Amino acid sequence: MSNAAVVVSYNRRELLEKCLSALTQQTRPLDEVIVIDNGSTDGGPEMVRELYPQVFLFETGANLGGAGGFAWGVELAAERGHDYVWLMDDDGEPDLDSFEELMGAVEASNEPLSFAASMVTTHEDGTPNAGNLPVLSSDMKHQLKAQEIGTIAVRAATFVGVLVNVAIARTTHLPQRDYFIWIDDMEYTLRLSRLAPAVMVSRSRIKHPMNAGGSKDMKGRLFYHLRNQIWVIKTNPELSLPRKIFDSTFYVVHALGQGPHAADKGLWAKSVAKGVFEALFRAPREEPIGTLIRTLPEDRQAEVRHQL
């Protein structure tokens, strides 16, 4: 099996360097490390070229958000011939045996897994990071099978150390880049876990800063939070129409509740109105693997499709 780690980066050079240092020292070596740079201006790409010439650097030329970066990451890993792709942000710092533990669980499973997630911990004391907890599976059958290989069955996880099975990823579309930021990882991993079981491997650990979370004034990001949450609800085949309406209304009420705390009332009102409008009248694009690469010039396509 061939495997790659994909790191999406934007203007966090020092954190990216720590992440790459950990990835290049894994006890089970990766076949390739791919960095998707979203138009950084802090010298990150130059650092990669100077200190990590073995890393495949793909510069998008613009900030496509985490969603756009991970869409390109899955696309390039698949096109470059990898069987598994380990996704993470540039502020993730995996333990040196983290990948070995993930692949050990994948190989121990008697059925294909759609993904295996690392346990995200804090930098402070190594406890589970409350801002990056997976969604556990309530299916007892899946839990018992996961227990056989020392793992926990999950339904969704954040893009902080998620090892995706490319063969299964090919049967659905890429992470949806129209999400830009927030909820894209939960949507994608939830979609994958409907196709095949997924697990979290608690022995595989990756440090990540605590999310700010709980802000009563999301400013312009409120638009993405509201729209993307409703998009996930709308496309969930497991929910009835009344449940979709109820859950969507919950997020609208939550967004409205930020009004009294918003420093910029105009921005708040615009974010809520735009979020509801786009959630109801737009849909994120569904792009299968192979879609994005065709947007590149032919010589660039040949370069990124290089089979290892």
Side-chain angles (χ1 to χ4, degrees):
M1 292 185 291
S2 179
N3 52 71
V6 162
V7 184
V8 175
S9 184
Y10 178 64
N11 281 343
R12 291 196 287 209
R13 173 180 170 165
E14 292 184 1
L15 292 173
L16 174 61
E17 188 172 348
K18 286 183 179 180
C19 181
L20 293 179
S21 176
L23 288 174
T24 54
Q25 298 182 71
Q26 290 293 302
T27 55
R28 177 165 177 165
L30 291 145
D31 291 302
E32 186 172 42
V33 176
I34 300 171
V35 170
I36 308 295
D37 183 79
N38 263 341
S40 296
T41 57
D42 65 345
E46 290 76 13
M47 179 275 294
V48 173
R49 281 190 283 267
E50 179 181 353
L51 300 182
Y52 298 96
Q54 74 275 31
V55 167
F56 183 80
L57 174 65
F58 181 82
E59 296 181 75
T60 64
N63 183 8
L64 306 181
F70 284 113
W72 269 108
V74 174
E75 173 95 338
L76 294 183
E79 292 293 334
R80 290 175 68 78
H82 297 294
D83 300 295
Y84 287 88
V85 53
W86 193 20
L87 306 174
M88 66 190 69
D89 291 315
D90 52 9
D91 54 357
E93 187 178 347
D95 288 358
L96 298 189
D97 63 348
S98 186
F99 181 67
E100 181 177 6
E101 294 289 357
L102 280 179
M103 286 304 301
V106 167
E107 292 167 346
S109 177
N110 59 12
E111 62 182 331
L113 300 174
S114 59
F115 69 86
S118 301
M119 186 171 83
V120 186
T121 66
T122 64
H123 280 275
E124 290 71 23
D125 56 9
T127 58
N129 190 320
N132 290 273
L133 297 176
V135 178
L136 301 183
S137 172
S138 60
D139 188 319
M140 185 55 66
K141 177 183 175 182
H142 287 170
Q143 288 297 352
L144 290 174
K145 291 186 74 66
Q147 189 179 46
E148 291 175 2
I149 58 172
T151 63
I152 301 169
V154 298
R155 299 186 67 225
T158 64
F159 280 157
V160 183
V162 172
L163 182 68
V164 174
N165 183 330
V166 173
I168 292 174
R170 286 186 182 278
T171 67
T172 184
H173 46 277
L174 291 164
Q176 292 179 286
R177 52 184 176 145
D178 287 333
Y179 276 68
F180 192 71
I181 57 168
W182 289 352
I183 324 299
D184 53 300
D185 45 8
M186 287 294 180
E187 186 282 328
Y188 185 59
T189 53
L190 182 61
R191 180 155 36 98
L192 289 175
S193 71
R194 293 192 191 109
L195 300 171
V199 300
M200 184 189 77
V201 184
S202 59
R203 302 179 303 278
S204 172
R205 302 194 170 200
I206 179 168
K207 301 180 186 71
H208 189 270
M210 286 289 291
N211 294 331
S215 174
K216 293 183 178 180
D217 183 7
M218 294 183 185
K219 301 181 172 62
R221 291 191 168 201
L222 178 60
F223 157 69
Y224 297 107
H225 178 77
L226 178 58
R227 182 197 64 177
N228 295 356
Q229 290 283 12
I230 297 176
W231 270 353
V232 171
I233 293 166
K234 283 177 60 180
T235 58
N236 188 340
E238 300 170 4
L239 299 180
S240 64
L241 180 58
R243 179 62 185 274
K244 289 181 179 182
I245 294 172
F246 177 85
D247 289 355
S248 298
T249 302
F250 170 84
Y251 285 106
V252 173
V253 172
H254 177 266
L256 292 172
Q258 291 205 6
H261 308 283
D264 186 334
K265 306 294 186 187
L267 178 60
W268 162 76
K270 180 180 178 181
S271 297
V272 173
K274 186 179 178 184
V276 171
F277 179 84
E278 292 208 3
L280 293 177
F281 299 107
R282 279 195 60 203
R285 288 168 290 182
E286 297 183 356
E287 300 169 308
I289 288 175
T291 299
L292 303 186
I293 199 170
R294 291 195 291 269
T295 66
L296 300 175
E298 288 188 8
D299 58 339
R300 186 71 170 132
Q301 290 185 37
E303 177 187 352
V304 300
R305 279 191 172 121
H306 172 67
Q307 302 291 302
L308 297 176

